[in-house]
Amino acid sequence: MKQLIILFFGICPLVSRAQTVEVKEIQVEPYLVFQNYEHFKRLCLSSPNSAVEFIEGFDFAWGYQYQLKVEETILESALSDGTEYEFRLVEVLSKTKVADSTEATLFLDSKRYYQDLDNGEAATNDTFKMLNDSTYLYFDAVEIEVPQKLQAPFQQILRGEKSQEGHFVFLEGNRIRLVKL
């Protein structure tokens, strides 16, 4: 009997930590946004009607606006990084390509972490990887074409001399073109 009581009280805290789950419709913008996270910087989803940052089971494509049905779980208590919600894709209700002339903004920063890393890990701190003389992979998520007229100020960002917002238009797939800094 004593073991049964211990088992019951050991399980009770798990049962009492109930979470609220709701199925809802949300909109997801055609671009990712830059976020200063707890220990590093990252790109995450953007929505005008939800606190969504990531959706389990969702394959995002640049240049498409989405209407989604998601399962939103409100966590009983926020995680150490401030996360209060978890999202899981239920259904893609619509996926609409935006016009090629649609302009979006994205903050550009050459460093993933807030501090410099040791020589052995320094490469993991770089958010840009050069693909060719005018195209860079940013956060392993989007290819950014940089026209010749913007190369000089863009190089300052690459060298970590400054960080700033860039204005872009959408190309094919996960490729965007920088049009203004």
Side-chain angles (χ1 to χ4, degrees):
M1 182 68 167
K2 188 176 190 180
Q3 293 170 337
L4 185 59
I5 292 172
I6 292 171
L7 178 64
F8 176 76
F9 285 111
I11 292 175
C12 279
L14 298 175
V15 174
S16 68
R17 293 183 55 93
Q19 300 173 342
T20 306
V21 177
E22 179 182 344
V23 174
K24 61 192 306 188
E25 288 186 23
I26 65 168
Q27 181 180 323
V28 173
E29 298 294 353
Y31 50 83
L32 297 179
V33 293
F34 181 89
Q35 183 185 63
N36 288 302
Y37 198 58
E38 184 179 22
H39 299 291
F40 55 90
K41 304 160 204 170
R42 67 181 182 174
L43 297 181
C44 60
L45 297 172
S46 176
S47 173
N49 64 345
S50 172
V52 69
E53 295 173 355
F54 170 81
I55 302 171
E56 181 185 333
F58 175 58
D59 290 322
F60 172 82
W62 288 82
Y64 289 88
Q65 189 139 25
Y66 294 89
Q67 194 68 28
L68 305 174
K69 185 181 287 186
V70 297
E71 183 179 87
E72 176 188 76
T73 302
I74 302 170
L75 303 177
E76 175 70 20
S77 57
L79 302 178
S80 65
D81 65 3
T83 301
E84 298 179 50
Y85 304 94
E86 290 180 349
F87 294 88
R88 187 184 62 76
L89 180 66
V90 173
E91 180 182 1
V92 175
L93 301 173
S94 68
K95 176 182 177 181
T96 308
K97 179 143 179 56
V98 298
D100 292 340
S101 60
T102 302
E103 196 172 295
T105 59
L106 180 60
F107 193 76
L108 303 173
D109 188 326
S110 66
K111 299 298 178 198
R112 183 179 314 265
Y113 300 99
Y114 298 108
Q115 72 281 349
D116 290 329
L117 301 179
D118 297 344
N119 286 340
E121 297 177 320
T124 63
N125 201 10
D126 295 332
T127 59
F128 290 100
K129 292 182 182 127
M130 184 180 218
L131 300 178
N132 61 44
D133 63 346
S134 64
T135 308
Y136 301 84
L137 183 61
Y138 189 46
F139 277 99
D140 296 319
V142 63
E143 296 175 7
I144 300 175
E145 283 186 10
V146 181
Q148 187 60 40
K149 68 179 183 174
L150 296 172
Q151 278 292 333
F154 186 76
Q155 291 300 315
Q156 290 179 305
I157 295 169
L158 287 178
R159 290 189 300 268
E161 296 168 7
K162 66 178 182 176
S163 299
Q164 78 178 83
E165 191 170 84
H167 297 258
F168 300 88
V169 292
F170 300 100
L171 302 175
E172 290 299 316
N174 69 333
R175 187 172 282 210
I176 58 179
R177 180 177 295 126
L178 182 63
V179 293
K180 182 172 59 172
L181 282 170

